[in-house]
Amino acid sequence: METWQINLSLIPSIAVILTSANRMALGLTDEINVRLLSNVEQYAEILPLKIKQLKRLSISILLMYLSLGLLVLNALLVGCEIIPIDAEKTLIFIAIIIFFIAIYFKIQFSWNAYFIRQKQFKKFLSKNIS
């Protein structure tokens, strides 16, 4: 009976990470829609990179939700004693693998974000210094 409680204790941690990722996606969407699209000529090189970043982040969020859903389903099924302990471990393992894939996309996002920002700042400075 205690194993399903452990699974539920993971949910707040994942929810915090998901909230952060969702805020990042909203901020990036806002940046694309408001700042970059208002000056397409100057940021024509940056826009496709930012859109690709938004795709990476969206995939990561989707995978995190899927992982979270599996953990909740697992806790429910184990709590109601519908599935055996072996199946519980399998569901948790799958959820963790999915979450690690999501983290991979977030790492890719973060790595690329640095270089994209550098390009963007150079463009911004060249426009404002000229």
Side-chain angles (χ1 to χ4, degrees):
M1 185 73 167
E2 293 175 6
T3 56
W4 68 274
Q5 292 173 337
I6 293 170
N7 299 336
L8 286 177
S9 68
L10 295 172
I11 292 171
S13 302
I14 293 173
V16 168
I17 295 169
L18 257 170
T19 301
S20 169
N22 279 321
R23 292 286 303 148
M24 290 168 70
L26 288 173
L28 186 55
T29 301
D30 188 51
E31 179 184 12
I32 290 168
N33 288 336
V34 175
R35 282 190 266 153
L36 300 179
L37 287 176
S38 67
N39 198 351
V40 176
E41 298 82 31
Q42 182 177 1
Y43 294 113
E45 179 186 344
I46 303 292
L47 268 168
L49 299 174
K50 291 283 187 169
I51 292 169
K52 192 172 182 181
Q53 284 289 86
L54 188 57
K55 181 180 178 182
R56 279 187 191 103
L57 198 53
S58 298
I59 290 170
S60 177
I61 291 168
L62 171 70
L63 291 171
M64 286 183 202
Y65 274 118
L66 184 59
S67 176
L68 181 63
L70 280 175
L71 286 174
V72 171
L73 178 65
N74 180 59
L76 180 66
L77 295 175
V78 172
C80 294
E81 298 179 355
I82 295 174
I83 62 171
I85 277 294
D86 295 340
E88 172 201 12
K89 289 178 183 175
T90 303
L91 279 176
I92 291 173
F93 185 71
I94 292 169
I96 290 170
I97 288 173
I98 291 170
F99 196 78
F100 272 123
I101 295 168
I103 289 172
Y104 168 76
F105 278 101
K106 288 270 296 197
I107 290 170
Q108 240 188 346
F109 170 85
S110 298
W111 177 262
N112 291 323
Y114 169 78
F115 298 104
I116 293 169
R117 273 189 231 116
Q118 294 304 309
K119 284 183 183 179
Q120 186 175 349
F121 291 144
K122 284 178 187 176
K123 291 276 186 186
F124 178 76
L125 288 174
S126 69
K127 176 187 174 190
N128 290 326
I129 292 176
S130 304

